[in-house]
Structures are given as structure tokens and as C-alpha cells.
Amino acid sequence: MVKVGSSSLTTAAGGLDADRVDALVDVLAKVLDGRAGAPDGGAPAEKEIVLVSSGAIAAGLAPLGLDRRPRDLARQQAAASVGQGLLVARYTASFARYGRRVGQVLLTGDDTSRRAHYRNAYRTLDQLLAMGAVPVVNENDTVATDEIRFGDNDRLAALVAHLVRADLLVLLSDVDGLYDGDPSTPGTTRIAEVTGPRDLAGISIGSAGRAGVGTGGMVTKVEAARIAAGAGIPVVLTAASHAADALLGRPTGTYFHPTGRRSRGRLLWLAHASTPRGALTLDDGAVRAVVERGGSLLPAGIAAVEGEFTAGDPVELRDGTGRAVARGLVNFDAKEIPRLIGRSTRDLARELGPAYEREVVHRDDLVLLRH
């Protein structure tokens, strides 16, 4: 799994830098074809690569006469609409030099937290890989609203890496790793390995990229590394110019060791890629059932409801103090829940019909939040 940022593909003024795109594709194509050298001098095995590529909005700036990334969502979407075509066309032409085809996959958070959409995303990516194409993934900026957007492609890359069961996530940037301070300041040191959160204690992590054309920075990359490592995927954070070293296992950048085990795929998206549309307050018994026993949320355990949501939307589950303990996909509209509160499913089925003899949030659609 490879993610590349806008600053590694475009000029600061906007517009794609064809030479930079070609340089990245040269590396990826050689690794795909097994023509890049292995670290031990042996014959490398062929690899499958999914590419998460930023750059659509940045590529659309110059053609639309914009001198900087707009702040309003409508103009960002317009720039993405123009730039996404240019970006994919550039990748298509560049990979064609090696006889490789490219498949475009545009995602929003809503596409991947819902069960059916999640399966569709997985099947599409899996089939593209099986047919020898290179999936180029990006957030669907042309339609994503604030409520359903990932916010940055670093996090998107971590989640897609889990979706496709990647063996490695490589985050490419304009900086050659994570430093213990501002890399431009004399005396700062690159951190070669991160084994867990303790290794990052006391480290000041910058929040802005150098080129000013992307949304991310080192903060988003470290957060993406944390998500992926927590899901059992090792991560290498390095400069785009060191992509070959990262993909071939040579020492480069900052290596994040896995800190957890792979979990059920869709729940990672629910935890990190969904925005709650409302909240349900649970009584103490329901909190214990959900948090300690891994059960579903039944109507009898609900004390209050807030927000406007429809069946299938993500909602927060809160304890009596207002602390969010879990997140899940709700089976009822917000306007239906007040008459369900505190009642058994048997009574509800007898009064309202068999459709009400079910969980408000099923345990398969629920993820606990760590504190």
C-alpha cells in the first residue's frame, strides 16, 4: 500500500509535475514487475500495489485560474472535478509505458462504514489487483461533504491498507521521516523506529506541509501510522525519493512497528472514518452489556436520544456521564426511538409489529472506543 501526497506530485503553484509522477511510477512499476533489486541480492517476488494518491485539487488549481487551494468546499470540489481527470490521465499514461493499466477508485467515508458498500469497495479493489491493474484511490472530493469526508488521504490510506489486507503501508512525503523537532532546525534527529506511543512522548509534530497544496502534514501521517499499526500493519514513513528503499525493505525513514492485531475490517472504518449523526445515552446495565460483554444495544437499555439520523447512520453510544463508549450503525430513525426507550423487544413486537423485535444497534455494527 503506497500513499503519496500532493506536494510530491505537483508544483507549489498548482498543476501536476509530470517528471515527479513518472519518477514515482518508474519505481512502482519496477517493483510490480520484480525488476527492482532485493535487499539480500536474491530474486524479488512480484508484488501487488494499491496507490492512494492525493493531488486532484492541487492539479485543478492552475487550470481554473486559482493561485492557492480554496477554503470553501464548493470551489474545492470544482478543483477536484477538473484535477481528478488530469491526475488519472497522467497515471494512465505513465503506467502505460510499462504495459500496466490503471483503475480509478473514489471513496467517501459513507462508502466504507456501511456493510454493503464496504464489501463492494473490497470486491472492486480485489478484482482490479487480480486482473493486473493498479488501483489508484482517492477521496471522492467532488461529492464528499464535511459529514462524509475522510479529511486527509493519510487516514484513507491506513484504512484502505486494512481493507485490502496489505502487508505494508508506505507513506511518501516531502520529508524523509519523523523527526524529534522541526527538520529544518539544526540538531534535530530522525526517529528510525517507533514501537509504540511511548516513543512519541514529548515530540513536537508539525501540522502543516511544506508546499501548501495539501491538507495533511506530519500530524496526519503519524495518526495514519497509529491506525495502521494498531490494525497489525507495519508502516514506513519516508520521502518520495526513497520509495524504492521502503518497498524493498531497505532501512529508510521511520518504521512503525505493528502494535495490534488485524481486526474485523469494517469496524476500523466505523471507528476512524465515520462521523456520528446523533447519540444514544445508555443506562448502566446497557453500558456493561455493550462494553464488558460485547452485546448488542437493545431498546430497554436506552435512556435518551439526540440528533437527527436515519436507519443505517453512525451514532455515538454514551454512558450516563456523557462519555462516548462506542460507535455503531443504528437500525431505527431518530424519530422512532423515543417510543422504544426502556421497552423490551417482545413488547414492542406485540404492539408495533415484528420489525421492532430487533436490536437498536447490533453488535456486528458496533465498535468500542478506546480511552
Side-chain angles (χ1 to χ4, degrees):
M1 189 79 213
V2 178
K3 184 269 176 178
V4 61
S6 300
S7 61
S8 299
L9 300 174
T10 61
T11 65
L16 288 172
D17 186 324
D19 291 337
R20 288 186 175 189
V21 175
D22 287 347
L24 174 63
V25 170
D26 288 343
V27 171
L28 299 182
K30 289 176 181 178
V31 171
L32 282 167
D33 294 339
R35 291 186 285 115
D40 58 0
E46 289 190 15
K47 294 178 172 63
E48 292 178 329
I49 291 177
V50 176
L51 177 63
V52 172
S53 177
S54 300
I57 293 178
L61 298 182
L64 291 177
L66 300 171
D67 57 0
R68 63 175 60 89
R69 182 187 178 94
R71 293 186 178 183
D72 61 288
L73 182 59
R75 287 196 299 167
Q76 288 178 15
Q77 291 174 325
S81 179
V82 172
Q84 185 63 38
L86 297 173
L87 182 66
V88 173
R90 183 63 253 170
Y91 276 124
T92 299
S94 193
F95 272 107
R97 297 175 298 141
Y98 296 92
R100 290 275 177 179
R101 291 180 178 173
V102 164
Q104 175 179 257
V105 180
L106 300 177
L107 299 172
T108 69
D110 210 36
D111 289 329
T112 45
S113 59
R114 298 175 187 265
R115 182 186 291 114
H117 295 189
Y118 181 89
R119 288 199 301 264
N120 288 338
Y122 170 77
R123 282 197 292 261
T124 298
L125 290 165
D126 185 59
Q127 191 61 52
L128 284 170
L129 292 171
M131 299 179 75
V134 180
V136 177
V137 182
N138 198 357
E139 179 165 16
N140 194 353
D141 289 311
T142 60
V143 299
T145 62
D146 289 336
E147 290 79 12
I148 62 172
R149 64 189 301 125
F150 294 101
D152 65 80
N153 272 349
D154 296 310
R155 182 168 56 146
L156 173 60
L159 295 167
V160 174
H162 189 264
L163 172 65
V164 299
R165 303 182 179 94
D167 298 311
L168 176 69
L169 169 60
V170 178
L171 298 173
L172 300 178
S173 177
D174 51 3
V175 182
D176 65 346
L178 175 63
Y179 282 74
D180 58 6
D182 187 340
S184 63
T185 302
T188 55
T189 304
R190 178 172 57 86
I191 300 171
E193 294 183 75
V194 175
T195 60
R198 291 182 180 179
D199 293 343
L200 301 177
I203 294 175
S204 176
I205 301 173
S207 60
R210 288 179 180 175
V213 294
T215 59
M218 196 54 67
V219 168
T220 66
K221 291 167 180 56
V222 171
E223 174 62 13
R226 184 190 67 80
I227 293 171
I233 302 170
V235 180
V236 175
L237 167 59
T238 191
S241 57
H242 298 164
D245 291 334
L247 289 166
L248 295 172
R250 299 170 183 151
T252 184
T254 301
Y255 180 81
F256 293 80
H257 292 263
T259 57
R261 290 185 288 181
R262 294 180 187 266
S263 61
R264 290 161 57 191
R266 190 172 54 89
L267 297 186
L268 195 73
W269 293 80
L270 185 59
H272 296 287
S274 65
T275 300
R277 310 289 175 83
L280 302 175
T281 299
L282 283 54
D283 63 27
D284 293 342
V287 171
R288 289 192 295 271
V290 168
V291 175
E292 298 175 12
R293 299 196 295 272
S296 300
L297 175 62
L298 299 175
I302 301 175
V305 57
E306 64 180 76
E308 297 182 4
F309 51 83
T310 59
D313 283 344
V315 296
E316 275 188 351
L317 307 187
R318 299 173 180 171
D319 63 17
T321 68
R323 181 178 65 116
V325 297
R327 185 175 297 172
L329 301 181
V330 67
N331 286 325
F332 297 95
D333 296 348
K335 62 183 180 181
E336 295 180 278
I337 292 180
R339 62 177 175 171
L340 312 182
I341 289 177
R343 304 181 63 182
S344 72
T345 53
R346 182 175 300 178
D347 288 344
L348 290 170
R350 185 164 48 245
E351 179 182 334
L352 302 175
Y356 288 85
E357 192 173 10
R358 55 178 170 152
E359 307 85 353
V360 176
V361 179
H362 192 277
R363 63 185 180 183
D364 289 344
D365 294 326
L366 186 152
V367 61
L368 300 182
L369 301 179
R370 297 177 181 179
H371 297 280

